[in-house]
Amino acid sequence: MNLPFMTGRRGPRGATVVLPQSAHHIESDFSYQLCRFVLDCSCGAHHDTPFIDEALEWRELHEQLAPLADQLA
C-alpha cells in the first residue's frame, strides 16, 4: 500500500521509504498592521488568523494535504 503522506515508515525488509520533497514551502510571519499571523505558501495559498494555534494547524495540514491535492490534478 503506497501512502505518500505517511513518512518515516519502513518498507519491505526494513528498507526506508523515500518520499519526494514537497513543492510547498510555507513562509509565516506576524503582521503588526493586521494583528494577525500570516502564512503564504509557494503554491499561492494564503491564510491569516489572529490565533497562533490555528496558524500552526493550518501550516501542518497544508504541508501534509497539499501534495495529495496536487496529485488529483
Side-chain angles (χ1 to χ4, degrees):
M1 186 179 208
N2 184 11
L3 301 174
F5 55 86
M6 298 185 69
T7 59
R9 301 287 181 185
R10 296 285 180 179
R13 298 186 191 147
T16 303
V17 177
V18 179
L19 300 175
Q21 291 292 338
S22 175
H24 298 270
H25 177 71
I26 300 174
E27 299 277 330
S28 57
D29 197 13
F30 184 79
S31 173
Y32 289 100
Q33 292 86 10
L34 300 173
C35 292
R36 296 173 79 83
F37 296 95
V38 179
L39 297 104
D40 292 308
C41 183
S42 59
C43 71
H46 173 82
H47 183 74
D48 62 80
T49 178
F51 308 108
I52 184 66
D53 57 340
E54 185 179 329
L56 294 171
E57 183 178 348
W58 185 88
R59 179 186 186 105
E60 181 181 330
L61 286 173
H62 187 74
E63 286 176 342
Q64 292 179 359
L65 297 178
L68 293 176
D70 293 343
Q71 293 177 7
L72 293 175

